Amino acid sequence: MTAMTSSARPLLNRRLAEFGTTIFAEMSALAASTGSINLGQGFPDTDGPEEIREAAVRALRDGRGNQYPPGPGVPELRTAVAAHQLRRYGLSYDPDTEVLVTAGATEAIAAALLALVEPGDEVIALEPYYDSYAACIAMAGGTRVPVTLRPHVEGGAAFRLDLDELRAAVTDRTRLLLINTPHNPTGTVLTREELTAIAELAVERDLLVVTDEVYEHLVFDDAEHIPLATLPGMRERTVTIGSAGKTFSFTGWKVGWITAAPGLVAAVRSAKQFLTYVASGPFQYAVAEALALPESYFAAFREDMRARREVLAAGLAEAGFGVFRPAGTYFITTDIRPLGESDGFAFCRSLPKRAGVVAIPNAVFYDHRTEGAPFVRFAFCKQPAVLQEAAERLKTLAG
């Protein structure tokens, strides 16, 4: 009897066929092999507050979280998340029914989309977008519909949302808007006017909204982070995603959360329980303490990152890049056309040998690759001395 075989069929699920090894793995490997400064992947090169690290150690030693924590997250963290939302934004959430702890924001995104999207549903996302958005929409069987943020030289050289284009993208099949502000990779912080228009559209068309707000504490200059859930009609239809990694510089701990109305939390929890089930037990207790840090911590954190932004932005401008100064996040998007280049992939793959620096081509964040082709992203969440050295190395491009 001949054994059955499926060798003619690709091993990878067709929904994920377009997603290979991430560009971050490729560029990080290139950084290691060439000894380059890695300004590609967005993680700090120093740890966060010592007292928060010690809180994690204390939890380990006290036996808190060494076994499975509660499925929704430890009560201390859920209470701290609710207190944070109330204190900063006036949003009142019940820690028991309206907060869910996840394995970082990435799991929160995946669980939300798997829970709320049916095969064939359309999901509108702001392009360029974090690469996991596309993969999670695909895994849910949804259809992604990009609405492109485009650069505007006036008004501080920023990427902006075309509200007419957003409205035109909504169809009878649209289920959900996936909004990211502060926005990775462009550094755009959506304005109150833009968010109000999004909220009005969601209410008018009865859409769900998932908002990725992991950079909520990294806004600069006159920019203001406004949670979409604070706007009229939005609290009951919005899943808000937060994370400890970006704010406290412990990205390896993978502690994220969602806040939403009870029905939405229950739906997302139904999907989340079959992903990691639970994660990051001892770290949850530490993050609960981190969220209660005084405002002086958050202010100093923002100012430190703003200063690092200035160091790298100045170096990139001196090297000849077109620089889009970010209003939020810890990424700078640049235009390589002033350097006589137009292909971000080719540029980033050659940059380590040319200048000893690694960056990420923004085109990987686009469905419309030509829209992102001339843009390249650099991370400035590194020590000032590292950023200075990177700036010196990049000066060779101007010569």
Side-chain angles (χ1 to χ4, degrees), residues 99-137:
V99 180
L100 175 67
V101 177
T102 59
T106 301
E107 188 194 35
I109 293 162
L113 293 172
L114 288 169
L116 302 174
V117 174
E118 296 274 5
D121 285 344
E122 292 180 348
V123 177
I124 294 175
L126 305 184
E127 179 185 62
Y129 40 67
Y130 180 51
D131 59 351
S132 79
Y133 292 1
C136 291
I137 293 168

Side-chain angles (χ1 to χ4, degrees), residues 48 80 84 124 167 230 307 353 358 365 378 397:
H84 171 272
I124 294 175
R167 177 170 287 274
T230 63
K353 289 186 178 179
V358 161
F365 305 122
F378 293 84
L397 299 175

